[in-house]
Amino acid sequence: MKKSLIVLAVCLFAFMDLSAQVEYKIVTSVESIVPSGLGRSRIISANENKDFKQYTSTQTAEDNTRNKSKRGDIRVKDFDETKLLNFYNLGGIRFQNIAANDAVITSKINSMIEEGWELAFVNSGVESDAGKDDGQGIFITRYIFKRNKS
């Protein structure tokens, strides 16, 4: 009995692809922290793939092998842009806007999960001058999803 279980287990592992192919997708939310609600807030999701190798150059002391691609070639023209509300309005911070953004971002995440994606990592940061009379800034969050390739 034990031998037949071991044989069965070995057979199952023999048919499994242990090196499953995984693909990743990044969805970015950019939320404005510009006072008076003058900024723009969005969820951005690219619909086209880019090969980083086309935009990479190798530089050594002996040889500078420069990639001849132009910066404009890197731009993605096929992407989804979902509107979000700004954190601030004329009255100051707007908590209702934050709750609304949370609902929209949650909807995006749930939609991605329904499409077979798994939320793998989340990374966020704030950019702001923070100098005198600072009137600019963004809160950016990158949601990194993964799924097995079919």
Side-chain angles (χ1 to χ4, degrees), residues 39-79:
R40 296 186 314 155
S41 298
R42 303 283 190 271
I43 298 173
I44 304 298
S45 177
N47 294 325
E48 64 182 81
N49 294 318
K50 292 286 183 173
D51 182 1
F52 78 95
K53 294 174 188 172
Q54 293 179 324
Y55 314 106
T56 303
S57 60
T58 302
Q59 301 189 28
T60 64
E62 303 87 37
D63 178 36
N64 283 340
T65 307
R66 294 254 181 214
N67 187 298
K68 304 299 182 198
S69 65
K70 298 176 187 160
R71 292 176 62 95
D73 295 340
I74 299 173
R75 286 189 174 78
V76 171
K77 296 180 175 99
D78 183 12
F79 64 95

Side-chain angles (χ1 to χ4, degrees), residues 83-99:
K83 292 182 180 180
L84 295 173
L85 299 173
N86 296 330
F87 282 170
Y88 291 98
N89 65 8
L90 290 174
I93 193 166
R94 184 84 171 157
F95 295 106
Q96 188 176 28
N97 289 5
I98 295 170

Side-chain angles (χ1 to χ4, degrees), residues 32-36 38-39 128-137:
S32 172
I33 54 174
V34 175
S36 303
L38 298 175
S128 180
D129 182 350
K132 184 180 179 194
D133 300 323
D134 179 23
Q136 298 184 28

